[in-house]
């Protein structure tokens, strides 16, 4: 069919593509080989998509279902072509898919990179995908025809800001990616180079990756007169063996790692993997990986492709949200089940109870593996926890069935840990005093604020451990935990802390009586700010501190609501005073001498300001504070 020549349309790459191309070309130098893996992955995905769509529209196959990816070398034109007979792309898909970056994680990463210097190697975690072609090619053409359509298109670019699209001729469906190799990338025309890379990165790809190679045939027997002949034959380069279906003892660590990189597009080795077969109510094989680094898109759950679903070794989908709970979204891997129908659709999967059983099994396996690592190899677990602990914590709030198991996996700094050390709830319980009924914790903005809090004074004196909760999500975790191994969790900045013996309680009562007038006076002066002024034995060194009442909101919670843009009505706190502090004596003396003295008023303000500063808050009237302190200094210095 003769096509009327139409002028090529010219397009600009989106800014983020330009940034990505710049990175790919200038920074990923040492990883050049991966372009082939990326393009083969794309070709394999395109075939998978065609196969799935053809389940409901067999015409798309155009009577040919011999799925294949072919590598074509041409020394004369110095081109390497990757040809697939997958789904192909329409005109609009071409300009959309190969002109923008759809993945939010990659976009977020690029934005971050502009702001501060991130490790550019991290880009590998999102897969540079198609654009990696420009590492080895100074110009790339894509000739593609969408299955079921008659129109073919040619996309061309040198990777410098623009690309063009023009009509093309293509008889077979699918895409040809034509790479005009750079002068320093001519190695990719060599048979053995390509063989090695395919074997290394793409051996397990389900579809055949073929290439024409020269085969030499030697004469049989001793017939020396016959000459050896060479023939060009098409050879399949990959074994196509599903790694997860092979026996564990036959798989090398290297193979596990390469497979991980293939499905995750991560450059770095995984931290750990789990390879197992489930038998019984539901049968499936699973190969799951924990990455060693948290990807940028960890907090964009929608864009995450985690565990790929296969049915009888055939790829079904890579974004099956029902396979794994959201709080385990960092897990990558494959699940292959014989118990699901091959033509399973997204809608069907929504109601499939088999899938729920698989999910349950996977969740248990992942949590129990983490527990074993925590118990047997703490340093390894800490590497995991540093990257994914926050996400795991989400599970406490949402997965009631497994809550207890998840809580056992959490780690926290405490008032007794040193440096980076972290402890489990179990360790804290094991270290408890015999008569200790509650697990104490303190929420704070960060560990330094927690460590220096006056609220800890009594606990230090009594040698009681307090857990520090410094993650915003910890507030939700706490609200879902309530207790651990029959010990209630108790915030030390809320309500009463009952740690005193009878004698101490008695003394406190007496002191209260003795200073009743003063306490009422302070209460009156601070009436607008605080709910109550009282003595407590919570403090040993400091004069004052602020606490919330039992069901009130502590400082940390208030800050969080504020950060989320939810203005909360100011909550009045309780001001607790240390009856044994010298300052109380000073206040009492001034009060007894002249309750109307302006100095007494200033002192009370200062005691209150100290409590505000100690909880890490800012003063409402810092200028007044400075003035009062300066006056005090002047008087003391006279
Ligand atoms: P990713 O594959 O991670 O989505 P890429 O940049 O590699 O990112 O590719 C962008 C998109 O271009 C793909 O999602 C796909 O829709 C399309 N694409 C790339 N290669 C092919 C191909 N060989 N056949 C059909 N579509 C393709």
């Amino acid at each position: 069919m003769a096509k009327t020549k139409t002028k090529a349309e010219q397009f600009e790459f989106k800014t983020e593509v330009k940034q990505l191309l710049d990175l790919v070309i200038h920074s990923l130098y040492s990883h050049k080989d991966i372009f082939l893996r990326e393009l083969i992955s794309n070709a394999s995905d395109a075939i998978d998509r065609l196969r799935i769509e053809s389940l409901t529209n067999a015409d798309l196959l155009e009577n040919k279902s011999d799925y294949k990816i072919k590598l074509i070398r041409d020394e004369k034109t110095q081109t390497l072509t990757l040809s697939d007979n997958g789904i192909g792309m329409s005109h609009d898909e071409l300009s959309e898919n190969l002109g923008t970056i759809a993945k939010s994680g990659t976009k977020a990463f690029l934005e971050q990179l502009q702001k501060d210097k991130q490790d550019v190697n991290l880009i590998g975690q999102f897969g540079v995908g198609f654009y990696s072609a420009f590492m080895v090619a100074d110009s790339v053409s894509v000739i593609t025809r969408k299955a079921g359509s008659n129109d073919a298109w040619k996309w061309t670019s040198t990777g410098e800001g623009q690309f063009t699209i023009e009509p093309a001729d293509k008889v077979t469906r699918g895409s040809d990616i034509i790479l005009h190799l750079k002068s320093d990338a001519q190695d990719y025309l060599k048979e053995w180079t390509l063989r090695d890379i395919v074997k290394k990165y793409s051996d397990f790809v389900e579809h055949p990756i073929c290439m024409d190679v020269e085969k030499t045939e030697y004469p049989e027997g001793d017939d020396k007169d016959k000459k050896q002949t060479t023939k060009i034959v098409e050879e399949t380069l990959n074994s196509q063996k599903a790694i997860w279906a092979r026996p564990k003892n036959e798989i090398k660590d290297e193979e596990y790692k390469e497979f991980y990189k293939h499905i995750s597009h991560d450059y770095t080795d995984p931290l750990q993997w789990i390879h197992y077969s489930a038998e019984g109510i539901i049968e499936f094989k699973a190969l799951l990986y924990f990455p060693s680094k948290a990807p940028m898109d960890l907090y964009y759950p929608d864009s995450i492709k985690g565990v790929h679903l296969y049915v009888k070794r055939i790829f079904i989908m890579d974004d099956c949200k029902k396979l794994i709970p959201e709080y385990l979204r960092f897990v990558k891997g494959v699940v292959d089940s014989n118990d699901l129908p091959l033509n399973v659709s997204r809608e069907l999967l929504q109601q499939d109870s088999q899938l729920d059983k698989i999910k349950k099994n996977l969740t248990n396996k992942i949590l129990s593996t983490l527990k074993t690592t925590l118990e047997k190899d703490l340093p390894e677990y800490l590497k995991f926890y540093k990257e994914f602990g926050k996400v795991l914590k989400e599970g406490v709030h949402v997965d009631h069935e497994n809550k207890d198991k998840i809580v056992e996996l959490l780690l926290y700094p405490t008032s007794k840990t040193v440096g980076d050390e972290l402890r489990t709830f179990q360790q804290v319980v094991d270290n408890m005093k015999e008569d200790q009924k509650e697990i104490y914790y303190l929420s704070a903005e960060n560990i330094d604020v927690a460590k220096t809090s006056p609220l800890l004074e009594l606990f230090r004196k009594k040698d009681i451990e307090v857990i520090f909760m410094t993650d915003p999500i910890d507030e939700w975790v706490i609200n879902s935990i309530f207790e651990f191994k029959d010990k209630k969790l108790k915030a030390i900045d809320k309500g009463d802390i009952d740690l005193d013996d009878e004698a101490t309680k008695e003394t406190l009562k007496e002191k209260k009586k003795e200073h009743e007038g003063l306490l009422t006076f302070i209460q009156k002066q601070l009436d607008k700010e605080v709910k109550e002024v009282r003595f407590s034995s919570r403090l040993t060194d400091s004069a004052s501190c602020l606490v919330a009442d039992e069901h009130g909101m502590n400082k940390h919670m208030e800050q969080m609501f504020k950060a989320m843009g939810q203005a909360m009505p100011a909550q009045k706190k309780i001001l607790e005073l240390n009856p044994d502090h010298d300052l109380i004596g000073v206040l009492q003396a001034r009060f007894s001498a002249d309750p109307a003295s302006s100095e007494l008023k200033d002192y009370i303000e200062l005691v209150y300001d100290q409590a505000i500063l100690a909880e890490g808050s800012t003063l409402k009237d810092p200028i007044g504070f400075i003035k009062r302190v300066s006056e005090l200094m002047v008087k003391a210095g006279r």
Side-chain angles (χ1 to χ4, degrees), residues 193-438:
T193 308
L194 295 171
R195 260 183 200 282
D196 285 350
I197 304 176
V198 170
K199 203 76 199 151
K200 183 167 173 206
Y201 293 118
S202 314
D203 192 52
F204 23 71
V205 169
E206 200 190 329
H207 311 290
I209 305 165
C210 305
M211 185 166 73
D212 286 343
V213 295
E214 269 186 16
K215 269 257 149 44
T216 309
E217 288 190 348
Y218 297 97
E220 277 176 30
D222 293 332
D223 191 352
K224 296 223 169 56
D225 295 339
K226 267 199 188 162
K227 277 203 181 138
Q228 60 185 50
T229 51
T230 44
K231 280 203 303 197
I232 304 284
V233 291
E234 187 180 275
E235 199 180 304
T236 301
L237 307 179
N238 56 331
S239 74
Q240 295 168 257
K241 268 195 201 152
I243 182 168
W244 59 89
R246 288 164 53 196
K248 265 159 93 164
N249 55 5
E250 286 177 13
I251 308 172
K252 293 195 207 91
D253 281 3
E254 275 319 306
E255 291 179 88
Y256 276 124
K257 288 179 192 169
E258 287 308 341
F259 182 67
Y260 165 73
K261 291 175 186 171
H262 167 72
I263 52 163
S264 67
H265 294 275
D266 188 353
Y267 281 99
T268 35
D269 286 340
L271 195 64
Q272 199 182 350
W273 56 84
I274 317 171
H275 184 188
Y276 77 108
S277 303
E279 275 148 22
I281 318 173
I282 175 109
E283 300 198 350
F284 65 86
K285 288 191 163 50
L287 173 53
L288 308 173
Y289 293 91
F290 300 149
S292 50
K293 281 260 169 276
M296 284 301 273
D297 54 3
L298 195 56
Y299 294 97
Y300 298 89
D302 284 350
S303 70
I304 289 205
K305 293 180 176 174
V307 176
H308 299 203
L309 177 67
Y310 280 69
V311 173
K312 300 188 184 79
R313 308 250 184 116
I314 292 178
F315 174 84
I316 304 294
M317 65 179 80
D318 60 8
D319 59 347
C320 184
K321 303 273 186 254
K322 267 199 89 184
L323 213 50
I324 211 135
E326 200 167 299
Y327 68 92
L328 297 178
R329 59 183 175 272
F330 50 83
V331 177
K332 307 273 174 204
V334 165
V335 167
D336 189 352
S337 162
N338 287 343
D339 296 346
L340 292 168
L342 245 186
N343 60 352
V344 61
S345 66
R346 269 168 207 281
E347 294 69 34
L348 261 177
L349 278 176
Q350 279 311 312
Q351 319 137 9
D352 199 286
S353 65
Q354 298 283 53
L355 215 58
D356 287 333
K357 289 184 194 132
I358 298 181
K359 179 177 177 181
K360 213 170 158 164
N361 185 300
L362 293 175
T363 308
N364 281 334
K365 188 75 182 178
I366 293 166
L367 295 178
S368 65
T369 305
L370 288 173
K371 177 118 191 277
T372 314
T373 316
L374 169 65
E375 287 167 356
K376 302 236 162 82
D377 189 352
L378 186 62
E380 194 70 2
Y381 185 77
L382 284 172
K383 281 190 211 157
F384 159 82
Y385 195 76
K386 213 178 108 232
E387 298 295 322
F388 302 110
K390 276 195 184 108
V391 185
L392 192 65
K393 281 178 186 172
E394 293 173 16
V396 177
H397 197 56
V398 295
D399 188 350
H400 300 289
E401 205 177 313
N402 290 302
K403 188 180 88 182
D404 292 347
K405 287 188 199 160
I406 305 170
V407 172
E408 287 183 356
L409 293 171
L410 304 186
L411 296 173
Y412 286 99
T414 78
S415 55
K416 292 195 172 180
T417 54
V418 184
D420 290 343
E421 191 195 343
L422 300 169
R423 291 191 181 167
T424 58
F425 277 101
Q426 188 59 54
Q427 279 173 306
V428 173
V429 168
D430 291 344
N431 287 340
M432 270 183 172
K433 302 244 157 12
E434 239 171 66
D435 55 349
Q436 192 181 324
K437 293 181 204 71
E438 294 171 317

Side-chain angles (χ1 to χ4, degrees), residues 8 91 128 131 172 275 302 376 412 501 625 628:
H91 174 279
V128 276
Y131 303 104
T172 51
H275 184 188
D302 284 350
K376 302 236 162 82
Y412 286 99
D501 51 31
F625 173 79
R628 282 188 282 273

Side-chain angles (χ1 to χ4, degrees), residues 42-43 46 49 84 87-89 97-98 103 129-131 175 177:
N42 280 350
R49 262 181 293 147
D84 70 66
I87 190 123
M89 280 177 272
N97 296 338
L98 306 186
K103 280 174 286 182
F130 171 78
Y131 303 104
S175 310
I177 319 291

Side-chain angles (χ1 to χ4, degrees), residues 550-564:
E550 193 64 45
H551 303 290
M553 218 186 272
N554 60 19
K555 158 89 182 31
H556 193 227
M557 194 86 170
E558 272 177 17
Q559 276 178 332
M560 269 169 38
F561 274 107
K562 217 167 149 194
M564 293 186 310

Side-chain angles (χ1 to χ4, degrees), residues 49-99:
R49 262 181 293 147
L50 172 64
R51 187 174 51 195
I52 289 162
E53 285 199 19
S54 69
L55 291 173
T56 45
N57 181 4
D59 291 346
L60 290 181
L61 293 182
E62 301 166 5
N63 295 323
K64 284 194 202 87
S65 62
D66 54 338
Y67 300 122
K68 180 153 94 176
I69 300 162
K70 184 145 187 183
L71 308 184
I72 303 155
R73 300 171 287 143
D74 188 336
E75 303 248 2
K76 262 195 243 118
T77 54
Q78 298 178 342
T79 55
L80 173 68
T81 300
L82 271 102
S83 178
D84 70 66
N85 52 8
I87 190 123
M89 280 177 272
S90 65
H91 174 279
D92 292 352
E93 284 167 338
L94 253 185
S95 66
E96 184 63 25
N97 296 338
L98 306 186

Side-chain angles (χ1 to χ4, degrees), residues 10 25 36 39 51-52 100 118 125 133 155 194 197 247 253 269 290 322 343 397 414 424 430 457 464 487 497 534 598:
Q10 192 146 36
I25 296 167
L36 198 61
L39 297 183
R51 187 174 51 195
I52 289 162
T100 57
Q118 288 264 358
Q125 291 179 1
W155 178 104
L194 295 171
I197 304 176
D253 281 3
D269 286 340
F290 300 149
K322 267 199 89 184
N343 60 352
H397 197 56
T414 78
T424 58
D430 291 344
E457 290 170 8
I464 295 172
K487 305 270 185 198
I497 298 286
R534 68 185 181 201
S598 66

